[in-house]
């Protein structure tokens, strides 16, 4: 099984930046998709960005141009660089690993954008 641990969340002012990290351990697989999702209070969990083991990326329209997902295969890490943050980006952010027909979630990290 894969274990995922997110870090890097916190409180930031509008317009600020944060970088989230997701450390993966266990049976990572050589072919996988990893993604960042978020869930705001009272809302459904939504896709933020995904990256494949081959390096292809995809972003939600709401974060395109502001967020960047990246990975370091040698360290089994996935990152989410978040710039120009807005109050509506406030949510719990989750890391997800999908491979071999199975998915695993991390425990989440809170991001709060507020002045």
């Amino acid at each position: 099984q894969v274990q995922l641990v997110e870090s890097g969340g916190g409180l930031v002012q509008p317009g600020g930046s944060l970088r989230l990290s997701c450390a993966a351990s266990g049976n990572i697989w050589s072919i996988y998709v990893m993604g960042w999702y978020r869930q705001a209070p009272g809302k459904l969990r939504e896709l933020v960005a995904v990256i494949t083991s081959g390096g292809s990326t995809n972003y939600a329209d709401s974060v395109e141009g502001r967020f960047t997902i990246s990975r370091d295969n040698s360290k089994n890490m996935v990152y989410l660089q978040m710039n120009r943050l807005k109050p509506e980006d406030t949510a719990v952010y989750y890391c997800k690993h999908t491979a071999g027909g199975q998915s695993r979630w991390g425990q989440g990290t809170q991001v709060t954008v507020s002045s």
Side-chain angles (χ1 to χ4, degrees):
Q1 290 189 359
V2 174
Q3 294 79 44
L4 304 171
V5 179
E6 302 98 331
S7 61
L11 173 64
V12 63
Q13 293 187 343
S17 298
L18 280 175
R19 188 176 84 151
L20 305 182
S21 299
C22 175
S25 60
N27 188 11
I28 306 300
W29 289 66
S30 60
I31 300 175
Y32 60 81
V33 177
M34 290 195 71
W36 287 97
Y37 294 71
R38 66 186 181 188
Q39 187 166 18
K43 294 188 177 181
L44 297 175
R45 192 171 297 189
E46 63 177 3
L47 171 72
V48 176
V50 293
I51 187 166
T52 69
S53 49
S56 298
T57 59
N58 193 33
Y59 296 90
D61 289 344
S62 59
V63 306
E64 182 82 51
R66 298 189 298 124
F67 291 10
T68 302
I69 189 170
S70 62
R71 79 208 190 295
D72 184 336
N73 286 338
S74 66
K75 298 180 180 179
N76 290 335
M77 296 289 294
V78 174
Y79 306 99
L80 185 68
Q81 178 65 44
M82 305 185 295
N83 298 327
R84 304 198 309 274
L85 283 159
K86 305 175 181 180
E88 51 264 42
D89 295 317
T90 295
V92 178
Y93 283 69
Y94 297 90
C95 180
K96 179 183 178 184
H97 173 276
T98 301
Q102 294 187 345
S103 294
R104 291 287 185 269
W105 293 89
Q107 83 289 348
T109 185
Q110 175 71 46
V111 172
T112 302
V113 185
S114 175
S115 55

